[in-house]
Amino acid sequence: MADSESETTIPRPIDIGRRQTLDLGNGSEIVYITMFVPSDQAWTWFDFLNQHIPWTRPTIRVSGRSVVQPRDTCYVAIPGLTASTHI
């Protein structure tokens, strides 16, 4: 439970579904849990991110050609970092 109104409470799933782990090799894996959060909560989070995050599709170089990146991207950094600063 949140201590103040400024904090966000993330609901705990009531019934976590089946867990699947896919080994990608080299120490990497994907853990997929069905019904991790209720569908209505997942859509609420999706709608928030879709409306409040400054998504872009930058142009990248592929095989000497400029193409629009095929996925939305958002860069998040601490205040004061410029777009060209890499951490």
Side-chain angles (χ1 to χ4, degrees):
M1 184 164 297
D3 294 332
S4 70
E5 289 185 23
S6 64
E7 293 182 42
T8 301
T9 301
I10 299 175
R12 298 263 181 204
I14 295 170
D15 183 22
I16 294 179
R18 188 168 49 111
R19 177 187 174 121
Q20 297 173 306
T21 302
L22 175 62
D23 185 356
L24 300 176
N26 295 324
S28 297
E29 65 184 17
I30 295 173
V31 177
Y32 174 70
I33 303 173
T34 59
M35 300 292 296
F36 185 72
V37 294
S39 179
D40 58 337
Q41 182 64 55
W43 279 110
T44 299
W45 291 343
F46 174 84
D47 289 337
F48 176 84
L49 293 172
N50 196 38
Q51 294 172 18
H52 294 92
I53 301 295
W55 299 108
T56 63
R57 288 196 175 190
T59 301
I60 57 176
R61 301 282 294 171
V62 177
S63 300
R65 296 181 346 194
S66 292
V67 295
V68 175
Q69 183 172 321
R71 67 187 58 82
D72 291 334
T73 304
C74 175
Y75 295 98
V76 179
I78 59 175
L81 292 179
T82 63
S84 62
T85 304
H86 299 283
I87 296 177

